[in-house]
Amino acid sequence: MKKYFILAVIVFVISIYLKNGNTSTKDTTPYEYPPPWPVFIVANFIIQTCQSIIDVLTPPAVNVLSTTLSINKVNTIYTCAKLNIPDLLENGPKTGAEISKVTGMSSKMTRRLMRACVAMNVFREIQTSKNDDERVYENTPLGDNLRKNHPFTTRHMLAHCVEDIQPGWTQFSEHVKDDNSFPFSAAFGYPHTPKAIWDYYDDRPIQREQFDKAMTSADGIGNGALMNDFNWSKNCKTIVDIGGGRGSLLAALLTAAPNAQGILFDLPAAIGHAEEYWKTKTSYFDLKSRVTFVSGSFLDKESNLPPSKGDTCYVSKSVLHDWDDEHSIQILKTITTAMKKGDKFLAIENVQMEPETNYLRPLVDLHMRTIGGQERTEEEFRVLFNQVGLNLVEIHPTRSLFMIVEA
């Protein structure tokens, strides 16, 4: 009994920490910081153990059916976000009638949708009634996260997955037999190359903006771990963020390395958006004087990637996973051409483990397969790096799905 009591105490302490821990929803603190390593490790162990127990106790047919219906869960939450219900509830509870009026749904449809969302803990029903219009709802923390202006919102990532990626998943089984055939390309009518998704965004500016917001919000969740789980001050006098989009990662790393200078490198359109974004992001104002914005393409021989001045860290986050080995080698050649002896290349990626204990990592790999990209194991990174003269030095774990691959 004693060990169960100790386990219960640990679970209670972790739950209190995660509920009231060192996270912030203010724009002035744009990073969600991870729990201490011991809490992180124990929490993950408990989650995996509980999931294993559930898997053992649940009949296989029920487990398969539950997994099958999970796509309905995703689409239900997506519908709530698209109807802006979390935003409607931001300033307090609303009745079913108020939700119906704003969303345009009937009272019956509002009740059906909200009933499902209450069951999934997206919303909370705080007043019941036989009259659906008089029922009262409020956001849970999950629903609150789906607000447009929540600093760590996953709303845009949810929309990206449903609108841009899910159509490819419906054709996934038809394209797994040919490594050069990509479900995304088939779904949207683009050539079967890893560049297809970027052509898709060039053709759809609204989707591109949504994707950029998805990446920025994802950075807000993971950057707290990346800032703290690698010594950026010790290793980098200059940090070059390659393919850095709006520069949210670079801002985090410069915060962690207060004496370092930063260079944000991306395509001209992305750099233009980044410069505008930095003008309005109040939490970046103190960093802007340390940042140089440079446009270019890491796939071009004349890439315009700034050459090293020494003690430079060339950083890419979720860049190599977008591309097959052929394109990745070209990207790495661009980087190594700019590097000097003593510089570091740091690829922040979702490194695949063997054996794998976290199902999210291989699922992200299959997600990337739909568009022609791939996640890689340590050995696959080693082989890839060796082809351009880089040596894999170490893989640094972080308190997130990402690891820092140092070369």
Side-chain angles (χ1 to χ4, degrees):
M1 288 296 295
K2 183 178 179 181
K3 64 181 180 181
Y4 293 113
F5 175 75
I6 294 173
L7 180 60
V9 170
I10 292 173
V11 172
F12 176 75
V13 171
I14 289 174
S15 65
I16 293 298
Y17 180 90
L18 295 178
K19 183 177 180 180
N20 303 307
N22 57 339
T23 61
S24 171
T25 57
K26 296 179 180 179
D27 180 63
T28 52
T29 309
Y31 313 113
E32 188 166 42
Y33 293 102
W37 271 108
V39 174
F40 178 81
I41 292 170
V42 173
N44 275 277
F45 172 77
I46 292 173
I47 291 169
Q48 291 177 16
T49 301
C50 291
Q51 185 59 56
S52 298
I53 293 172
I54 292 171
D55 290 343
V56 169
L57 296 178
T58 305
V62 175
N63 221 335
V64 171
L65 181 60
S66 176
T67 302
T68 302
L69 291 175
S70 64
I71 191 170
N72 294 2
K73 183 176 181 179
V74 170
N75 287 321
T76 299
I77 297 174
Y78 166 76
T79 299
C80 288
K82 289 292 284 188
L83 292 172
N84 297 316
I85 298 175
D87 304 276
L88 177 63
L89 300 178
E90 177 181 2
N91 295 320
K94 294 290 186 292
T95 64
E98 290 172 309
I99 295 171
S100 295
K101 181 178 180 180
V102 173
T103 61
M105 292 187 293
S106 67
S107 296
K108 182 178 181 180
M109 187 65 242
T110 297
R111 172 58 183 151
R112 293 172 70 183
L113 182 62
M114 297 303 286
R115 179 171 56 208
C117 289
V118 168
M120 294 187 297
N121 199 36
V122 179
F123 305 123
R124 186 181 296 110
E125 185 174 337
I126 61 174
Q127 179 178 306
T128 61
S129 173
K130 291 183 179 180
N131 185 336
D132 290 343
D133 284 343
E134 295 176 358
R135 295 175 184 268
V136 180
Y137 305 92
E138 66 179 4
N139 276 333
T140 64
L142 194 158
D144 193 57
N145 177 268
L146 293 169
R147 291 187 291 106
K148 289 179 181 178
N149 60 351
H150 191 288
F152 309 126
T153 182
T154 50
R155 175 197 188 102
H156 306 295
M157 180 62 76
L158 172 65
H160 159 65
C161 290
V162 172
E163 296 172 10
D164 303 337
I165 303 300
Q166 189 170 291
W169 271 108
T170 64
Q171 303 187 34
F172 195 82
S173 62
E174 300 174 22
H175 298 273
V176 293
K177 297 178 182 180
D178 183 352
D179 287 344
N180 296 311
S181 180
F182 308 134
F184 172 88
S185 297
F188 289 101
Y190 284 87
H192 288 261
T193 73
K195 191 174 180 293
I197 192 166
W198 308 113
D199 292 336
Y200 166 87
Y201 286 131
D202 286 342
D203 295 339
R204 296 167 173 82
I206 294 177
Q207 295 302 114
R208 176 66 196 228
E209 182 180 5
Q210 177 174 270
F211 174 77
D212 288 343
K213 290 179 178 178
M215 296 301 102
T216 299
S217 62
D219 283 345
I221 298 169
N223 283 350
L226 296 173
M227 291 167 64
N228 288 277
D229 294 340
F230 185 80
N231 193 335
W232 299 96
S233 290
K234 177 182 177 181
N235 291 283
C236 313
K237 288 184 179 179
T238 302
I239 299 173
V240 183
D241 186 1
I242 301 165
R246 294 185 176 192
S248 54
L249 172 64
L250 182 60
L253 301 187
L254 291 178
T255 301
N259 295 318
Q261 297 296 307
I263 297 174
L264 183 64
F265 179 81
D266 211 320
L267 294 170
I271 291 298
H273 293 151
E275 289 179 311
E276 291 301 314
Y277 184 67
W278 278 62
K279 290 177 182 178
T280 60
K281 190 72 172 175
T282 57
S283 55
Y284 291 2
F285 286 175
D286 292 340
L287 302 173
K288 190 175 179 183
S289 62
R290 296 160 54 199
V291 175
T292 303
F293 298 89
V294 179
S295 63
S297 171
F298 47 53
L299 291 174
D300 293 341
K301 291 184 178 179
E302 301 296 330
S303 69
N304 204 34
L305 182 65
S308 170
K309 295 181 180 180
D311 295 321
T312 298
C313 290
Y314 288 87
V315 180
S316 70
K317 181 183 178 186
S318 300
V319 170
L320 296 179
H321 84 158
D322 286 333
W323 303 95
D324 56 21
D325 286 351
E326 179 184 352
H327 288 88
S328 293
I329 288 171
Q330 178 56 53
I331 294 168
L332 291 171
K333 284 181 177 178
T334 297
I335 295 168
T336 55
T337 298
M339 292 174 68
K340 284 185 177 180
K341 186 177 180 180
D343 291 344
K344 295 181 183 295
F345 171 58
L346 301 163
I348 300 172
E349 296 282 348
N350 171 28
V351 180
Q352 302 292 287
M353 308 299 290
E354 294 181 342
E356 184 57 81
T357 57
N358 185 337
Y359 72 90
L360 290 177
R361 279 192 285 258
L363 285 183
V364 174
D365 178 43
L366 295 181
H367 171 107
M368 298 310 301
R369 174 61 176 82
T370 66
I371 64 172
Q374 66 178 103
E375 306 292 355
R376 294 176 172 88
T377 65
E378 177 178 350
E379 183 58 27
E380 287 171 330
F381 274 113
R382 193 183 310 278
V383 171
L384 188 69
F385 287 178
N386 286 345
Q387 293 184 65
V388 295
L390 286 172
N391 294 316
L392 195 157
V393 175
E394 186 175 357
I395 293 183
H396 304 269
T398 74
R399 285 163 288 177
S400 70
L401 277 179
F402 294 105
M403 299 185 189
I404 302 173
V405 186
E406 178 182 350

